[in-house]
Amino acid sequence: MPTIKDVAKDAGVSPSTVSRVINDHPRISNATKKKVKKSMKKIGYHPNIIAQSLVKQKTNTIGLVMPYSAEEAFANPFYSEILRGIGAVAQEKGYSILLITCDGQEEVEASLRAVKSKLVDGILILRAKKDDILLKKLREAEVPFVIVGRPEDADKYYWVNNDNIKASKNLVQHLIDLGHKDIALITGGSEYIVSQDRLDGYKLALKENKIKYNPEYIIHIHGNEEIISKNTKKLLKKNPDLTAIFAVDDLMAYRSILAIKELGLKVPEDISVVGFNNNPLSQLITPSLTTVDINTYQLGEEATSILINVIENKISEYYHKVVEANIIIRNSCDKIKF
Amino acid sequence: MPTIKDVAKDAGVSPSTVSRVINDHPRISNATKKKVKKSMKKIGYHPNIIAQSLVKQKTNTIGLVMPYSAEEAFANPFYSEILRGIGAVAQEKGYSILLITCDGQEEVEASLRAVKSKLVDGILILRAKKDDILLKKLREAEVPFVIVGRPEDADKYYWVNNDNIKASKNLVQHLIDLGHKDIALITGGSEYIVSQDRLDGYKLALKENKIKYNPEYIIHIHGNEEIISKNTKKLLKKNPDLTAIFAVDDLMAYRSILAIKELGLKVPEDISVVGFNNNPLSQLITPSLTTVDINTYQLGEEATSILINVIENKISEYYHKVVEANIIIRNSCDKIKF
DNA sequence: ATGAAAGCGCTAACAC
DNA sequence: GTGTTAGCGCTTTCAT
């Protein structure tokens, strides 16, 4: 592999001149610039990015923490979609993406290692938990990082999120408008703030409509498997008054629908179902699923854009951005008949 | 950020001794080893991986080329799932994953750049095309790389794949066993070898059962959108004899099923449908989809394992591995009634 | 078993 | 505008 010295020799200039050409230095004559570029092409030279990183103390790489947990959640197209948004902006601004894979509990360690080893200039976190050690450690380490999700101490972080409370409230309001009063909520682990927010939106909608909140209607699910099916069935048997189910992720909604069908009931005639996140498949299933489009791609774009600005010192004050979420009404809900 | 010199000073040894501790050099006394490790912890030292990479001429990073094309294909859980397999092995063997995102046509350039800039030690390619420039260029560049898919000139590459011909043949045989003779095939762009293989398997099954091959039953789809719906409908109207549709990806099958339903026909009573790739959702839709499990996770594991072995010179001869694919029979196919 | 010194490929003062 | 030199943080001979 040719180095900067080989180019210098071939072009009859010094290595620093070659370096200046690489970095588009202003004070360099067009003649030498051309000459050097020709030499680079001739001998097939590519700058060694590792060497550049070492001296510039910057890798132009952002880290993406991805626990490869067995949770089905990971099979969620959410990740592919947000990755697309992240990739698009990163590429446009000349950054690479380093996937930091790790198993479950190691994520704190793995992230810090990537940062302290100078592998990445900044980090993207794809979830926000309550009492999150990872966030605290990263802040202590003074690494640039951006969260997709709403952290606690919201004014001490950079983050991007949907207004989950509002979107959830609107979605439940839609069910209420159709005449539903007994609405179950299937939500995720209560350690995730997104679960809390969607629950809060649910409660808010009930309150505004003077519907009594019934804690028996709430299920917290950890993982995404069979439990949902079992719990849906249990729920429906225990509470024959239920007419609607709100699942906080479309994948969960699919499982609920299946369980409802297995019980011999029909969606939406007997039970209305709504989801969240607008999985691309939700328009293809039968019945097509009413859900909330959270603009996952844009979430990825915005987060990356902010992160790169932080890395390049173009933002100093903590800052967040709320991305619109829109209800998409399809065929999984019916009016209550009196 | 502390460097190796700071540790050396604190421990009262030379930088090279610290380096030897970092690299588990055999000839180093336990006493100094302990002393140095203590200092490292005390001052919060982490080796700078960039500097290590520069001198070792090795980054311990593998590149993953991912065109962020608009194709829905990218929303396919296939990518999440294979990423999990790749991540698991990479992490276990101490490698990071660099996502090389690029738009459509740039993939050749982007991959070569990553390699020649010494950003990665090797590359993983997630598809095989006919007459593939990328593969040729990578081989010219003498970069370690492994393909997920069967390339042309199969004996000149490292690759991992399912036996798509066999799996496809078996799947079509299953339809034939149910009495189907008029089976449409919806497949991907003919530039992809996987499309060709699955078509060949289809043809083989017909031949073995002395069923005449009808080219009108074959549709090549580029992209995954509305076209599938339109084409399914056109196909069904033109060929009322059709009793089954084989889509080479589950997502395509979902769209076909929807189109069939929109035509007022029933799956599987009127038309049987089979898919491929065993999308996790295929068990959740109604009717649940008969498909082929290609063991995506394992595909990712094997490919990564081979790549790392190649990088570390543990394999020299070109080599490939075929991963089992299994038919999963669900409820989307019916027997033909005579 | 440990230290001194050179060098991986590049950039960035500082000279002129 | 271009060359000289030092140095980014680490490893690795070559000494001892």
Side-chain angles (χ1 to χ4, degrees):
Chain A
M1 282 276 116
T3 76
I4 206 170
K5 282 187 185 169
D6 300 315
V7 180
K9 205 170 286 173
D10 184 89
V13 296
S14 79
S16 36
T17 300
V18 178
S19 172
R20 284 189 260 261
V21 172
I22 294 171
N23 294 283
D24 258 329
H25 191 95
R27 279 196 305 221
I28 191 132
S29 81
N30 266 326
T32 46
K33 200 185 269 185
K34 256 184 200 163
K35 192 171 57 179
V36 169
K37 283 196 172 167
K38 202 173 142 192
S39 289
M40 296 200 304
K41 211 160 212 171
K42 177 178 155 202
I43 61 180
Y45 169 78
H46 286 257
N48 182 319
I49 296 192
I50 298 294
Q52 285 180 328
S53 298
L54 181 59
V55 55
K56 288 191 175 165
Q57 302 282 53
K58 179 152 189 301
T59 59
N60 269 45
T61 301
I62 62 188
L64 195 56
V65 187
M66 290 207 134
Y68 56 86
S69 60
E71 288 178 51
E72 186 183 305
F74 202 81
N76 201 315
F78 170 80
Y79 287 98
S80 306
E81 189 63 11
I82 200 166
L83 220 53
R84 284 187 51 228
I86 295 167
V89 172
Q91 208 240 348
E92 181 199 328
K93 303 210 174 166
Y95 281 74
S96 302
I97 298 165
L98 192 78
L99 239 47
I100 305 173
T101 47
C102 54
D103 60 20
Q105 254 44 38
E106 282 181 354
E107 59 175 6
V108 175
E109 254 188 68
S111 314
L112 286 175
R113 202 184 317 130
V115 163
K116 302 214 163 161
S117 307
K118 297 283 177 193
L119 265 180
V120 300
D121 295 332
I123 286 208
L124 237 34
I125 307 290
L126 298 187
R127 87 277 169 302
K129 285 186 188 175
K130 289 181 188 166
D131 208 16
D132 199 329
I133 301 171
L134 177 56
L135 304 190
K136 281 173 191 152
K137 290 271 185 188
L138 286 175
R139 200 144 52 97
E140 276 173 31
E142 299 188 50
V143 210
F145 71 103
V146 173
I147 304 152
V148 178
R150 182 181 69 79
E152 296 176 312
D153 297 326
D155 53 344
K156 289 183 180 168
Y157 295 98
Y158 299 97
W159 52 279
V160 174
N161 201 22
N162 309 110
D163 188 342
N164 281 305
I165 298 180
K166 187 173 131 201
S168 168
K169 196 189 90 177
N170 290 345
L171 187 60
V172 174
Q173 184 65 54
H174 168 66
L175 287 170
I176 293 172
D177 290 344
L178 290 172
H180 296 276
K181 288 196 168 73
D182 293 276
I183 305 166
L185 175 69
I186 301 180
T187 185
S190 52
E191 72 272 29
Y192 291 100
I193 289 173
V194 58
S195 300
Q196 187 61 51
D197 281 357
R198 292 184 187 172
L199 172 59
D200 286 349
Y202 165 91
K203 286 180 180 172
L204 224 53
L206 295 190
K207 200 174 179 185
E208 285 188 2
N209 292 274
K210 312 223 159 86
I211 298 172
K212 190 160 177 274
Y213 168 71
N214 181 350
E216 286 211 0
Y217 286 176
I218 311 300
I219 304 180
H220 281 275
I221 301 280
H222 304 264
N224 228 340
E225 301 296 329
E226 298 300 298
I227 316 167
I228 297 180
S229 174
K230 270 186 204 158
N231 279 289
T232 303
K233 288 178 184 171
K234 211 190 289 176
L235 195 70
L236 250 25
K237 283 178 187 162
K238 247 191 177 174
N239 305 284
D241 289 343
L242 278 179
T243 60
I245 292 180
F246 166 18
V248 299
D249 182 81
D250 285 3
L251 289 178
M252 292 179 165
Y254 302 161
R255 289 194 180 272
S256 276
I257 290 174
L258 191 60
I260 294 168
K261 286 180 179 172
E262 284 171 2
L263 242 38
L265 296 170
K266 287 194 169 174
V267 179
E269 292 84 348
D270 300 313
I271 307 286
S272 290
V273 177
V274 298
F276 217 102
N277 295 351
N278 193 27
N279 191 309
L281 261 41
S282 294
Q283 58 175 309
L284 297 182
I285 62 166
T286 311
S288 61
L289 185 67
T290 291
T291 184
V292 176
D293 183 4
I294 60 169
N295 286 306
T296 313
Y297 183 89
Q298 198 194 335
L299 238 28
E301 282 186 322
E302 298 282 2
T304 309
S305 175
I306 294 175
L307 178 59
I308 292 175
N309 280 334
V310 175
I311 289 172
E312 298 179 350
N313 293 314
K314 291 177 186 159
I315 313 181
S316 48
E317 304 229 341
Y318 285 123
Y319 169 85
H320 69 262
K321 166 110 192 177
V322 175
V323 170
E324 275 307 305
N326 316 299
I327 295 186
I328 298 184
I329 293 176
R330 298 208 182 92
N331 303 316
S332 60
C333 300
D334 227 355
K335 269 193 188 153
I336 288 285
K337 295 145 199 111
F338 296 97
Chain B
M1 281 279 115
T3 74
I4 206 170
K5 282 185 186 171
D6 301 314
V7 180
K9 205 169 285 172
D10 185 89
V13 297
S14 77
S16 31
T17 300
V18 178
S19 172
R20 284 189 259 259
V21 172
I22 294 170
N23 294 282
D24 258 328
H25 191 95
R27 278 195 305 218
I28 191 134
S29 81
N30 266 325
T32 46
K33 200 185 269 184
K34 257 184 199 163
K35 192 171 59 180
V36 169
K37 283 195 174 168
K38 201 173 144 192
S39 288
M40 297 200 303
K41 211 160 211 173
K42 177 179 157 200
I43 61 181
Y45 169 78
H46 286 256
N48 182 318
I49 295 191
I50 298 295
Q52 285 180 328
S53 298
L54 180 59
V55 54
K56 287 191 177 165
Q57 302 281 52
K58 177 150 190 305
T59 60
N60 269 49
T61 301
I62 61 188
L64 196 55
V65 188
M66 290 206 133
Y68 56 87
S69 60
E71 290 177 51
E72 185 183 307
F74 204 80
N76 201 315
F78 170 80
Y79 287 98
S80 305
E81 189 62 12
I82 200 166
L83 220 54
R84 284 187 53 228
I86 294 167
V89 173
Q91 208 238 350
E92 180 199 327
K93 304 210 174 166
Y95 281 73
S96 303
I97 299 165
L98 192 80
L99 240 46
I100 305 173
T101 47
C102 54
D103 60 19
Q105 254 44 39
E106 281 182 354
E107 58 174 8
V108 175
E109 253 188 70
S111 314
L112 286 175
R113 203 184 318 131
V115 163
K116 302 214 163 159
S117 308
K118 297 282 177 191
L119 265 179
V120 299
D121 295 332
I123 285 210
L124 237 33
I125 306 291
L126 298 187
R127 87 275 170 302
K129 285 186 189 176
K130 289 181 187 166
D131 210 15
D132 198 330
I133 301 171
L134 177 56
L135 304 190
K136 280 175 191 151
K137 290 270 185 189
L138 285 176
R139 201 145 53 98
E140 275 172 31
E142 299 187 50
V143 210
F145 71 104
V146 173
I147 304 152
V148 178
R150 182 181 69 79
E152 297 176 314
D153 297 326
D155 53 344
K156 289 184 181 169
Y157 295 98
Y158 299 97
W159 52 279
V160 174
N161 201 22
N162 308 109
D163 187 341
N164 281 305
I165 298 179
K166 187 174 131 200
S168 169
K169 196 190 90 177
N170 290 344
L171 187 60
V172 174
Q173 184 66 53
H174 169 66
L175 287 170
I176 294 172
D177 290 344
L178 291 172
H180 296 276
K181 289 198 165 73
D182 293 276
I183 304 166
L185 176 69
I186 301 180
T187 186
S190 53
E191 72 272 28
Y192 291 100
I193 289 174
V194 57
S195 301
Q196 186 61 50
D197 281 356
R198 293 183 186 172
L199 172 60
D200 287 348
Y202 166 93
K203 286 181 181 171
L204 224 53
L206 295 190
K207 201 173 178 188
E208 286 188 1
N209 292 273
K210 311 225 158 87
I211 298 172
K212 191 160 179 273
Y213 169 71
N214 181 351
E216 285 210 1
Y217 287 175
I218 312 299
I219 304 180
H220 280 274
I221 301 280
H222 304 262
N224 227 339
E225 301 297 328
E226 297 302 297
I227 316 166
I228 296 180
S229 175
K230 270 186 204 157
N231 278 289
T232 302
K233 289 177 183 169
K234 211 190 289 174
L235 194 70
L236 250 25
K237 283 179 187 160
K238 247 192 176 174
N239 305 283
D241 289 342
L242 277 179
T243 60
I245 293 181
F246 167 18
V248 299
D249 182 81
D250 285 2
L251 289 177
M252 292 179 165
Y254 302 161
R255 291 197 178 269
S256 274
I257 290 174
L258 191 62
I260 294 168
K261 286 179 179 172
E262 284 172 1
L263 242 38
L265 296 170
K266 287 192 170 176
V267 179
E269 291 84 348
D270 300 313
I271 306 286
S272 290
V273 177
V274 298
F276 217 103
N277 295 350
N278 192 29
N279 191 311
L281 262 40
S282 295
Q283 57 175 310
L284 299 181
I285 61 167
T286 310
S288 61
L289 184 67
T290 291
T291 184
V292 176
D293 183 3
I294 60 170
N295 286 306
T296 314
Y297 183 88
Q298 197 193 336
L299 238 26
E301 283 186 321
E302 298 282 2
T304 309
S305 175
I306 294 175
L307 178 58
I308 292 175
N309 280 334
V310 174
I311 289 172
E312 298 179 350
N313 294 313
K314 291 177 186 159
I315 312 181
S316 48
E317 303 229 342
Y318 286 123
Y319 169 85
H320 70 263
K321 167 111 192 178
V322 175
V323 171
E324 274 308 305
N326 316 299
I327 297 186
I328 298 184
I329 294 177
R330 298 208 184 91
N331 303 316
S332 61
C333 300
D334 228 354
K335 269 192 186 153
I336 287 287
K337 296 145 198 107
F338 294 95

